[in-house]
Amino acid sequence: MKKLLAFSAGTLLLWQAAAAQQRLVADKIIGVVGDKIILKSDMDGALADQQRNSPDGNIPPQAPCNIMEMLISQKVMVLQAERDSLPVSDGEVEAQMENRIRYFEQMYGSKEKMKEITGYSVYQLRERFRQPIKEGLLSQAMRNKIVESVKVTPSEVKRYFDAIPKDSLKFYESELEVGQIILQPKATREMDQYAIDRLLEFKKRVQNKESDFGSLAILYSEDPGVKDNKGVYALNRNDKNTWDPDFLAAAFRLKEGEISSPVKSQHGYHLIQMIKRQGDNVTVQHILIRPAVTKSDLSQSIAKLDSIRSGILSNKYTFSEAVAKYSDAPAAKFDGGMIQSKTGEGTLITIDQLDDPAERDIVMMLDTLKPGHISAPTQYTDENGRSACRIVYLKTRTQPHRENLTDDYSRIQQRTLDIKRAEAINKWLLEKIPTFYVHVDDEYKDCQHISKWMASLAKQ
């Protein structure tokens, strides 16, 4: 069950989305759980996705069993979630669906290319994604309910660690915990007004049919994605965690064909054109102009950061308190200013994980920083192409080492918890599966967990 539950709900949604895209002349039902069916295309899509993500392009022999067990367990969780009336709102489904559409748009490069490859329009893909996404959210809600009370004690963590053969303990390269306080220099009123005036001129040119909105977007928009999507985005009214709230609100005030006045967001000023409305879903095109930041603006931010750094060093406030009070980074209130691991292991990172363009100059700073030290303020270009300033804090630096309870307790604790949660879910499935009708094709009946589930069904 440990391997089975290693697949996340998000991964399963991706599999189902991939399966939903395939052009299939005919399909086959390979499993039934209650009134839910499992199609061969679900299996094929999941296998294709696993092969695509495999470093060597191969998939393990047990992959079909793992996937079928995951699909069955998901259906059972969905059915039980429906029985228990667990809340999943239409807004959550729509938000997930728009994220999924954007993911595939980016993967294929454009809506047109996506349709050419998949054979489906954006509207058709939304219809195909809606049910699997809703089921994914329901199963995740049920899973959370099952494991919410599962905890591990220090003695359980130690027993798990002691059972690992010494020659199987993981080896870790040197790892770091790195934080930053970021200030985004504010443009002057004159620069703000210049950006607004440019957008008003663009609006006038479009309304007078002197220019095409899309052409102006390609030529002048400072949105990093404009080269790929010409500034066109599909929005959902409830997707407030993805889009700037002022941008989202302004977009939904427009009628089809209407062009907004300049709209201010955290990214700059936007000119928004409504292309299409359909309930809580709209398609818009925008032009982004960022007010220019002067050398004087940057100097003021550098001076402020220098003062913040002095306050931390003199124990006036801690680094985390300074982040909460001063940082302009949107994620600072969630991550406390600490750079997060790209492998999902919290704040411990290796030096090669600092590979984003906006992070590369941090590598140079770390050569001269000792644990507990804070860099002098520096200017850099952020992930959106804007000039910003920051100070960098090296919290810890570990030496290369074999896994142990002193240096790696949180990791070992998480693995112990994952196993205990998997056991709780497996026990729950053994109890719940006999309360539903379950049928699977013969080729899957010998799979490890399925055989146990079918045996428990046979006893009823």
Side-chain angles (χ1 to χ4, degrees), residues 172-176 341 348-354 411:
Y172 296 112
E173 300 292 340
S174 177
E175 293 176 307
L176 318 161
S341 169
L348 280 171
I349 61 172
T350 55
I351 200 78
D352 59 350
Q353 287 186 39
L354 295 169
R411 283 178 169 142

Side-chain angles (χ1 to χ4, degrees), residues 2 151-166 168-172 175 344-346 348 401-421:
K2 180 182 175 184
K151 302 287 187 292
V152 291
T153 63
S155 59
E156 287 176 312
V157 174
K158 187 175 186 304
R159 275 200 304 273
Y160 163 73
F161 179 76
D162 289 343
I164 302 173
K166 300 307 176 190
S168 298
L169 291 172
K170 295 183 178 183
F171 183 82
Y172 296 112
E175 293 176 307
E345 295 189 346
L348 280 171
H401 66 281
R402 193 69 68 180
E403 187 173 66
N404 62 78
L405 281 170
T406 302
D407 298 319
D408 309 297
Y409 184 85
S410 60
R411 283 178 169 142
I412 301 164
Q413 180 188 47
Q414 186 59 51
R415 293 209 306 272
T416 310
L417 181 60
D418 289 342
I419 291 170
K420 196 169 179 180
R421 284 173 173 171

Side-chain angles (χ1 to χ4, degrees), residues 263-295:
V263 176
K264 187 176 183 180
S265 80
Q266 60 182 319
H267 303 291
Y269 288 90
H270 308 260
L271 198 64
I272 309 171
Q273 178 175 244
M274 175 64 69
I275 298 174
K276 182 181 178 182
R277 294 191 69 113
Q278 188 176 20
D280 285 340
N281 300 302
V282 298
T283 302
V284 300
Q285 189 168 32
H286 85 127
I287 300 170
L288 170 66
I289 298 295
R290 294 193 183 103
V293 174
T294 66
K295 289 183 178 179

Side-chain angles (χ1 to χ4, degrees), residues 78-140:
V78 170
L79 289 164
Q80 189 62 43
E82 290 173 346
R83 279 182 181 176
D84 294 351
S85 300
L86 297 187
V88 169
S89 69
D90 291 341
E92 289 177 277
V93 175
E94 293 300 319
Q96 283 271 2
M97 188 158 51
E98 292 307 316
N99 288 339
R100 195 66 57 215
I101 293 289
R102 279 197 295 276
Y103 169 83
F104 285 111
E105 257 187 76
Q106 291 168 3
M107 187 168 72
Y108 292 123
S110 68
K111 286 187 175 73
E112 293 75 19
K113 192 69 174 176
M114 183 171 69
K115 183 175 181 180
E116 179 186 334
I117 293 173
T118 66
Y120 300 119
S121 67
V122 171
Y123 172 78
Q124 289 170 320
L125 285 174
R126 283 198 185 100
E127 292 306 302
R128 286 173 171 267
F129 288 169
R130 185 169 279 105
Q131 188 58 30
I133 284 174
K134 184 173 184 179
E135 289 193 359
L137 290 170
L138 282 168
S139 68
Q140 185 61 44

Side-chain angles (χ1 to χ4, degrees), residues 33 58 89 282 319 369:
V33 182
N58 296 318
S89 69
V282 298
F319 176 81
L369 284 181

Side-chain angles (χ1 to χ4, degrees), residues 167-423:
D167 58 358
S168 298
L169 291 172
K170 295 183 178 183
F171 183 82
Y172 296 112
E173 300 292 340
S174 177
E175 293 176 307
L176 318 161
E177 286 185 292
V178 180
Q180 52 185 342
I181 297 176
I182 295 171
L183 293 187
Q184 191 67 57
K186 306 296 187 290
T188 63
R189 288 184 181 179
E190 291 78 12
M191 291 296 100
D192 272 4
Q193 191 59 51
Y194 178 71
I196 292 169
D197 290 344
R198 286 192 74 194
L199 291 176
L200 288 172
E201 176 62 24
F202 294 156
K203 181 177 180 179
K204 183 179 178 182
R205 286 166 62 178
V206 174
Q207 289 176 332
N208 292 341
K209 302 190 184 304
E210 297 170 5
S211 299
D212 172 70
F213 194 101
S215 299
L216 291 172
I218 293 170
L219 287 170
Y220 301 110
S221 181
E222 296 177 62
D223 175 1
V226 71
K227 292 181 181 178
D228 298 322
N229 60 19
K230 300 179 183 178
V232 177
Y233 291 98
L235 312 178
N236 178 269
R237 189 185 298 275
N238 300 300
D239 202 1
K240 296 173 183 176
N241 292 328
T242 303
W243 301 98
D244 180 276
D246 295 315
F247 177 86
L248 198 64
F252 275 91
R253 284 196 293 266
L254 299 173
K255 300 175 183 177
E256 280 195 12
E258 187 180 1
I259 300 174
S260 72
S261 297
V263 176
K264 187 176 183 180
S265 80
Q266 60 182 319
H267 303 291
Y269 288 90
H270 308 260
L271 198 64
I272 309 171
Q273 178 175 244
M274 175 64 69
I275 298 174
K276 182 181 178 182
R277 294 191 69 113
Q278 188 176 20
D280 285 340
N281 300 302
V282 298
T283 302
V284 300
Q285 189 168 32
H286 85 127
I287 300 170
L288 170 66
I289 298 295
R290 294 193 183 103
V293 174
T294 66
K295 289 183 178 179
S296 174
D297 300 326
L298 288 165
S299 296
Q300 289 178 28
S301 291
I302 291 287
K304 184 176 179 180
L305 278 173
D306 198 43
S307 174
I308 294 168
R309 178 177 183 270
S310 297
I312 298 170
L313 295 177
S314 64
N315 298 317
K316 185 176 179 181
Y317 35 69
T318 65
F319 176 81
S320 59
E321 288 170 343
V323 168
K325 187 173 182 179
Y326 298 110
S327 183
D328 292 330
K333 61 183 177 182
F334 304 110
D335 60 24
M338 302 303 295
I339 296 174
Q340 302 297 301
S341 169
K342 292 181 174 65
T343 59
E345 295 189 346
T347 57
L348 280 171
I349 61 172
T350 55
I351 200 78
D352 59 350
Q353 287 186 39
L354 295 169
D355 56 356
D356 291 343
E359 296 174 342
R360 286 172 188 161
D361 63 329
I362 293 179
V363 176
M364 304 295 292
M365 296 184 207
L366 294 175
D367 284 342
T368 58
L369 284 181
K370 295 179 180 179
H373 287 199
I374 301 172
S375 75
T378 59
Q379 179 187 335
Y380 76 106
T381 302
D382 71 11
E383 63 274 12
N384 293 313
R386 300 174 299 181
S387 293
C389 304
R390 66 180 165 202
I391 53 176
V392 173
Y393 168 51
L394 178 58
K395 184 178 180 181
T396 62
R397 186 200 302 267
T398 69
Q399 296 302 313
H401 66 281
R402 193 69 68 180
E403 187 173 66
N404 62 78
L405 281 170
T406 302
D407 298 319
D408 309 297
Y409 184 85
S410 60
R411 283 178 169 142
I412 301 164
Q413 180 188 47
Q414 186 59 51
R415 293 209 306 272
T416 310
L417 181 60
D418 289 342
I419 291 170
K420 196 169 179 180
R421 284 173 173 171
E423 290 169 350

